[in-house]
Amino acid sequence: MHKGQERIAYLDGLRGLAILLVLAWHYLGPVYAMHLPYGVRYAHLPLVRQGWAGVNLFFLISGYVIFMTLERCSGFVDFLLRRWIRLFPAMLIGSLMIYLAAQLMAAWMPGGRASALDLVPGLTLVNPFYFARYFGINVRSLDGAFWSLYVEAAFYVVIGLLYYRFGWRRALAGLLLLWLSVVVMPPIAHDLHAVPVLKPPFRFLHNLGVGYFGWFASGALFLKARTDRDRGLFAMAIAIGLVASLTTDIPDNIENRTRVALALSVLFFAWAQRSAFAQRLLEARWLLFVGFVSYPLYLVHSAIGVGLIALVAGAFAGLPALVPPLIVTTAMLALAWGMARWAEPAVARLLKPLTEGLRRLLGVRSASGRDGPPLGLPA
């Protein structure tokens, strides 16, 4: 059940499930209620209130697939080039779309009108915090959903450096140590009255997304447990994922009891590794389609989608409340499919001479074989 494309198929289904949870959170939940015509009317519904947990599910998937890519690459630079060519084409297209939409629909979109400088964080995959803190450049993300891409990019750099220097065991140990350091630093700083000393490194690591590294480590251990047929690693993966669900940051004003959704996402992921029935459910054609378009959909759905919902609801005031988000969801799926099917490959082809030139300049060979699944967040 774990061979070849069948395994990839149910991972795509997991990606599809994760992005649908995120869409529910953004289109029906409380986070953008001030922009939505129906406010918080649907925020209490099951899976809507906990939809933000879809991002953590993406992190689990990313940790799971990353070693497949690491093992296919010839070294750190080869790995980063492969990750960049997977991330950048859709990010470039999506960023330009969001920037253009922010000029045309600023009154309806979260964040309002964007400046050209706001393109920089997304295109560099660097948290705006670092531009302001270290370069004095005040920029913001074009879309609030980009925060998780900054975490993903930081994870790639850290795991790549650790893996090619120390091997997978020590790389995972280093990942866990970084994660735990961020978890324990605040209480230690408070108890030892060391806030002035520990605040700068904590802010640096926290904004890097190190507090989410436990999710990636859990996913990676699930993969190693499968390949090594190791029940101990499988139990460790579950345990680390559950600890991550108890310690991870959650959105403001969300009650702590909804951490249950995070724990359930870990248990569901574990079930999907061992259950042929779960894999068949995740391999439903409609879910595989959503998984296929999940990365471009994640990039463009949030600010543009919320703005379009407000615009459609205002233009057609007589529509039932749920019709605008359904129309916009359909439109976003179609847009994401066009990006995944045509636009991303076209941009990747245009960028190929650049990546090949960088390989020649740096003396980096490309390992044989195709790259693995694009991303855990999202493919």
Side-chain angles (χ1 to χ4, degrees), residues 61-379:
I61 301 167
S62 186
Y64 187 91
V65 303
I66 200 62
F67 279 126
M68 296 187 234
T69 300
L70 287 164
E71 291 166 0
R72 289 184 173 97
C73 296
S74 62
F76 178 66
V77 178
D78 181 32
F79 169 69
L80 285 189
L81 285 173
R82 286 181 184 233
R83 292 296 85 199
W84 180 79
I85 204 63
R86 288 293 194 179
L87 282 167
F88 186 76
M91 177 60 84
L92 175 62
I93 299 163
S95 293
L96 292 175
M97 285 182 176
I98 296 168
Y99 175 75
L100 179 61
Q103 311 313 308
L104 301 175
M105 304 192 307
W108 295 276
M109 287 175 58
R113 190 176 299 275
S115 73
L117 202 58
D118 294 334
L119 287 160
V120 174
L123 296 181
T124 59
L125 295 174
V126 175
N127 191 318
F129 164 82
Y130 297 102
F131 289 102
R133 180 72 174 176
Y134 300 107
F135 303 105
I137 302 173
N138 291 316
V139 295
R140 60 186 177 90
S141 291
L142 283 173
D143 195 308
F146 284 8
W147 74 267
S148 55
L149 275 298
Y150 308 143
V151 175
E152 284 271 342
F155 165 62
Y156 294 148
V157 173
V158 171
I159 195 63
L161 288 171
L162 292 173
Y163 177 86
Y164 292 111
R165 179 63 180 86
F166 301 109
W168 78 263
R169 288 183 176 84
R170 291 182 180 180
L172 277 179
L175 206 66
L176 289 170
L177 285 173
L178 283 169
W179 166 54
L180 291 174
S181 71
V182 169
V183 171
V184 304
M185 208 177 290
I188 288 176
H190 181 267
D191 292 345
L192 299 181
H193 305 286
V195 172
V197 176
L198 293 179
K199 186 176 181 180
F202 174 78
R203 290 182 68 186
F204 180 89
L205 294 174
H206 176 76
N207 284 284
L208 202 64
V210 171
Y212 295 96
F213 280 12
W215 292 92
F216 298 116
S218 175
L221 282 168
F222 276 119
L223 173 68
K224 288 299 180 182
R226 179 188 65 81
T227 56
D228 296 349
R229 300 179 183 273
D230 190 321
R231 292 183 179 181
L233 288 178
F234 188 78
M236 187 183 299
I238 294 175
I240 290 172
L242 292 176
V243 172
S245 72
L246 294 174
T247 59
T248 194
D249 288 340
I250 57 176
D252 294 336
N253 302 318
I254 299 299
E255 56 273 16
N256 278 328
R257 69 173 179 269
T258 58
R259 287 187 181 276
V260 173
L262 293 175
L264 289 176
S265 69
V266 175
L267 297 177
F268 182 81
F269 190 86
W271 180 52
Q273 306 311 307
R274 295 297 179 93
S275 169
F277 174 70
Q279 291 172 19
R280 286 195 298 272
L281 291 178
L282 291 168
E283 290 167 8
R285 292 186 65 179
W286 68 272
L287 201 53
L288 294 179
F289 169 78
V290 180
F292 171 68
V293 304
S294 58
Y295 177 40
L297 180 58
Y298 186 86
L299 292 176
V300 300
H301 83 278
S302 182
I304 294 178
V306 170
L308 285 175
I309 290 171
L311 191 59
V312 170
F316 303 96
L319 290 175
L322 283 178
V323 171
L326 288 175
I327 292 173
V328 171
T329 297
T330 303
M332 290 294 102
L333 284 166
L335 176 62
W337 181 77
M339 290 173 65
R341 181 67 178 84
W342 289 300
E344 280 187 82
V347 174
R349 285 193 297 271
L350 289 174
L351 292 172
K352 188 174 180 180
L354 174 61
T355 58
E356 293 303 315
L358 286 172
R359 289 184 186 280
R360 289 192 296 271
L361 178 65
L362 299 171
V364 177
R365 67 179 180 86
S366 178
S368 60
R370 296 186 61 182
D371 201 357
L375 290 170
L377 170 73

